[in-house]
Amino acid sequence: MDKTLGYKELAVAAAREVQLPPPLLLAIVEVESGGDPYRSRIDPVHGTSAPQAARPSSCDAGTEMMFQRTFWGLMQVPGSAARETGFDGWLTELTRPDVNLRTGAERLARLAGRFLARYGMEGVISAWNAGAPRKRPDGKFANQKFVDAVMKAMEVFEGILSEADMKPVSEEVVEEGETNVDRMRKADLLRYAEEKGIAVDSSARVDELRS
């Protein structure tokens, strides 16, 4: 984890920009690349955005499609997903740690907005790896092994990061008066209560649920 921790400051800053817990970004970095900013792989069957998506004028359509099917850098951000977040530079720039973490954090925040309330933190992690959470008949995620690995790494980073690292960048709030960090914790607490048959008020804030 030493290599991953070398990007702690960048990861904390990127997470704060979108109000996500920094340990989540670091855990994804650890599981996806082990802290290697140059790691990349091409998936020839991976979906792409429209060929006319914003891209450098000197990048031809064939190169663009290959790059969109490539998973880049620390968080293994798909090129197609980077385009969907509005990134319009050369996709090779995703090997830069700062660009990779900012773009990955933006994608992760979008996934949280879509899947957090229904699937909790594990569902967001599953979607990062598979595009959307998919469950098996036994109730576990189809990519449960990946989800478990990220959750385990998150616990480690939560124990390493300082209180200052974990603090949201500001007291600004989002939907329903809660930050994305609060929403993630609340979703997990509600799922736990449901599994245990505990009656709770789903409209309560996360600090009220904890008590």
Side-chain angles (χ1 to χ4, degrees):
M1 289 191 172
D2 288 346
K3 288 180 67 175
T4 296
L5 283 170
Y7 302 102
K8 184 189 77 170
E9 287 76 15
L10 289 174
V12 168
R16 284 178 167 179
E17 273 188 40
V18 293
Q19 294 289 332
L20 289 176
L24 176 58
L25 262 67
L26 287 168
I28 289 175
V29 169
E30 178 65 22
V31 173
E32 290 280 24
S33 71
D36 180 358
Y38 299 109
R39 182 173 182 180
S40 60
R41 66 181 178 86
I42 298 174
D43 181 350
V45 299
H46 185 74
T48 63
S49 300
Q52 64 269 26
R55 67 178 191 270
S57 58
S58 57
C59 181
D60 63 68
T63 300
E64 173 70 12
M65 290 299 96
M66 180 181 70
F67 283 176
Q68 285 196 23
R69 291 188 171 100
T70 301
F71 292 72
W72 300 92
L74 291 173
M75 294 182 71
Q76 290 292 278
V77 177
S80 58
R83 289 292 186 236
E84 288 165 7
T85 65
F87 182 76
D88 59 2
W90 278 92
L91 290 172
T92 51
E93 292 177 41
L94 291 168
T95 56
R96 284 178 44 188
D98 59 331
V99 175
N100 189 279
L101 290 165
R102 284 200 310 270
T103 306
E106 174 62 28
R107 181 189 182 222
L108 197 56
R110 293 185 180 204
L111 293 173
R114 291 177 60 192
F115 301 117
L116 177 63
R118 181 174 180 182
Y119 296 101
M121 178 81 79
E122 289 194 357
V124 175
I125 295 169
S126 175
W128 171 268
N129 177 251
R134 288 188 288 273
K135 288 198 169 184
R136 307 187 307 232
D138 64 1
K140 293 184 179 296
F141 291 102
N143 54 350
Q144 191 67 50
K145 185 176 179 180
F146 176 85
V147 172
D148 291 343
V150 172
M151 292 293 289
K152 182 177 180 180
M154 270 191 71
E155 290 182 9
V156 175
F157 287 118
E158 284 171 352
I160 293 174
L161 296 187
S162 68
E163 185 175 342
D165 291 330
M166 300 286 283
K167 186 177 180 180
V169 66
S170 72
E171 297 304 318
E172 292 180 4
V173 295
V174 293
E175 221 176 320
E176 298 181 353
E178 295 175 318
T179 66
N180 275 339
V181 176
D182 286 336
R183 290 172 62 221
M184 285 191 164
R185 291 170 178 163
K186 178 177 176 178
D188 285 339
L189 286 169
L190 289 174
R191 280 163 54 84
Y192 175 81
E194 182 180 359
E195 291 172 359
K196 298 298 183 181
I198 303 171
V200 295
D201 179 5
S202 61
S203 65
R205 292 180 60 84
V206 67
D207 53 349
E208 297 169 334
L209 287 173
R210 282 175 170 168
S211 61

